[in-house]
């Protein structure tokens, strides 16, 4: 396809469309004036009551009357970028025309990605539930799974950013601006009451995929119609030219949708088996292993991280410098190293499963609910619904045998971390010179494992 050059001023039609030109050309204000001038005089008399339909027809672009519906990959709303410079009139027309076409492509690609994700998830969800074998009373609600899918849709990059045309602060500015406006449109993606009461067992979720995909596809179709039929909604959605660049990575969308759905199921299966997430802020297990801070070097085996950030009982979030580890409340010594490597990156990511659980805990602690919800900026919240508990870095100096020690802080009371932490007490464990120590989880990261000899005393520690 012919590509126009991109080295000319925004006012020159003979150049490729550039995202930054949307604001430089004042497309938003220009479109407001265009609609006010043409709606009653040209749109209504001809029966072109939908925004996209009237705009295309008035500007000589015909046979594109299905841009507000799903086209199942037939490309009914595809427009050749190379032909935009031939449209008579203001240069802004080309930008609006391309945005209409690209909004259509974006929603259609999500719909195709969702159906591809269904094909992938049909096998993976069965493998996940079989691996963790959640109890029969571990249930889910279809509406929550739909919102989890909606959260994935909300996190898929807009074309202008995804295509790599814009980077750094400009991309952040565009994403922030668009996402703050889009909830008025994307609310149609998320279910309301239609299937709220449909409860299923987690180990039977694969059989419900058809219902999930059908309902989500219908919601996406309704959202597309709203985005292109109403000029105000279109303005909000196309703000700052986020839909000028046409490239859409369908394969990556399929991966994003599938892993988000997987993450929801994984966290529910783990939670159903009494497994929760523990963590330590600003902690690097590898550094603890090599910098001499441990009372006994054998306490940790974290000489190196896997490419996915895993070592021994932990996943380390290098970006935020937080360490996470699963804890089985029915089997404290269990190390989930093999499970981490099975799950990541095949079925989920550490960011989705572990950091996502922390962000969910932050959201709930701030007054949100613990369903799979999406906040005002369209970022996934509570797709991973694991209880999250933070290790208490304060030591209890009472070493009496049988004494209960509070291993977790009260930062997240909604997840009952205080009650979970009281399950750990001084107990016999054959720890060198001391025949007792704190019975802790395999993923423990706290003061009882540190070298305290300089302070004149030594705390026992055992977890294997």
């Amino acid at each position: 396809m012919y590509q126009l050059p991109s080295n000319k001023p925004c006012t020159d039609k003979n150049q490729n469309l550039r995202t930054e030109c949307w604001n430089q050309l004042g497309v938003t204000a220009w479109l407001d004036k265009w609609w006010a001038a043409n709606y009653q005089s040209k749109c209504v008399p001809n029966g072109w009551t939908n925004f996209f339909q009237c705009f295309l027809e008035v500007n000589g672009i015909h046979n594109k009357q299905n841009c507000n519906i799903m086209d199942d990959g037939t490309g009914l709303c595809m427009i050749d970028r190379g032909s935009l410079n031939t449209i008579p009139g203001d240069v802004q027309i080309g930008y609006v025309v391309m945005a209409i076409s690209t909004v259509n492509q974006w929603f259609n690609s999500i719909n195709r990605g969702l159906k591809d994700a269904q094909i992938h998830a049909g096998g993976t969800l069965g493998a996940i539930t079989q691996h963790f074998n959640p109890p029969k009373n571990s249930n889910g609600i279809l509406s929550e799974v739909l919102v989890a899918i909606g959260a994935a849709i909300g996190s898929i990059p807009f074309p202008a950013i995804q295509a790599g045309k814009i980077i750094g602060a400009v991309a952040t500015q565009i994403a922030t601006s668009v996402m703050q406006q889009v909830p008025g449109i994307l609310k149609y993606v998320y279910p309301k009451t239609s299937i709220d009461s449909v409860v299923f067992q987690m180990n039977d979720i694969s059989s419900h995929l058809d219902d999930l995909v059908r309902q989500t596809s219908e919601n996406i179709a309704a959202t597309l119609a709203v985005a292109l039929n109403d000029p105000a909604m279109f303005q909000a959605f196309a703000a700052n030219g986020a839909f000028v660049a046409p490239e859409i990575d369908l394969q990556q969308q399929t991966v994003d949708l599938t892993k988000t759905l997987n993450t929801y199921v994984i966290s529910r299966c783990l939670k159903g088996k009494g497994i929760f997430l523990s963590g330590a802020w600003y902690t690097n297990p590898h550094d603890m292993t090599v910098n001499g801070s441990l009372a006994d070097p054998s306490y940790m085996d974290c000489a190196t991280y896997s490419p996915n950030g895993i070592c021994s009982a932990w996943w380390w979030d290098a970006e935020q410098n937080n360490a996470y580890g699963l804890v089985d409340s029915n089997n404290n010594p269990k190390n989930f190293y093999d499970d981490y490597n099975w799950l990541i990156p095949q079925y989920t990511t550490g960011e989705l499963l572990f950091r996502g659980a922390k962000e969910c805990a932050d959201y709930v602690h701030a007054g949100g609910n613990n369903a799979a919800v999406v906040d005002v900026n369209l970022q996934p919240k509570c797709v991973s619904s694991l209880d999250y508990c933070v290790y208490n870095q304060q030591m209890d100096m009472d070493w009496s045998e049988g004494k209960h020690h509070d291993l977790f802080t009260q930062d997240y009371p909604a997840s009952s971390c205080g009650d979970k932490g009281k399950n750990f007490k001084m107990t016999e464990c054959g720890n060198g010179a001391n025949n007792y120590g704190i019975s802790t989880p395999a993923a423990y990261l706290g003061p009882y494992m540190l070298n305290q000899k300089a302070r004149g005393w030594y705390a026992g520690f055992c977890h294997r």
Side-chain angles (χ1 to χ4, degrees), residues 132-139 202 265-276 329-330 385-386:
F132 290 110
N133 190 26
K136 293 186 180 299
N137 62 352
S138 178
N139 295 325
M202 292 306 301
V265 175
I266 292 166
S267 69
R268 283 306 179 102
C269 288
L270 291 171
K271 196 170 182 177
K273 291 182 72 69
I275 296 168
F276 64 96
S329 57
N330 301 307
S385 58
L386 288 166

Side-chain angles (χ1 to χ4, degrees), residues 170-249:
V170 178
T172 302
Q173 178 184 1
I174 290 176
T176 301
S177 176
V178 173
M179 288 182 178
Q180 285 174 347
Q181 300 297 324
V182 167
I185 301 170
L186 285 191
K187 66 183 180 182
Y188 294 91
V189 172
Y190 309 120
K192 299 300 180 186
T193 59
S194 58
I195 55 174
D196 281 352
S197 60
V198 179
V199 178
F200 63 92
Q201 291 187 2
M202 292 306 301
N203 56 14
D204 191 36
I205 187 175
S206 295
S207 65
H208 293 276
L209 281 178
D210 287 343
D211 290 336
L212 294 172
V213 171
R214 175 186 54 77
Q215 182 68 54
T216 306
S217 294
E218 291 175 0
N219 292 344
I220 293 171
T223 309
L224 170 61
V226 172
L228 290 183
N229 290 349
D230 182 270
M233 290 295 192
F234 173 80
Q235 288 278 53
F237 208 72
N240 291 330
F243 285 87
V244 169
E247 294 86 347
I248 294 175
D249 188 343

Side-chain angles (χ1 to χ4, degrees), residues 335-378:
N335 186 318
F336 285 86
Y337 175 79
D338 291 337
D339 297 283
Y340 299 156
N341 283 286
W342 184 75
L343 290 171
I344 303 171
Q346 182 178 10
Y347 297 114
T348 185
T349 66
E351 288 79 7
L352 281 173
L353 185 61
F354 299 133
R355 186 196 296 174
K358 176 191 178 297
E359 291 176 350
C360 174
D362 290 338
Y363 182 82
V364 172
H365 185 53
N369 64 62
N370 60 0
V373 298
V374 181
D375 70 1
V376 70
N377 291 319
L378 292 184

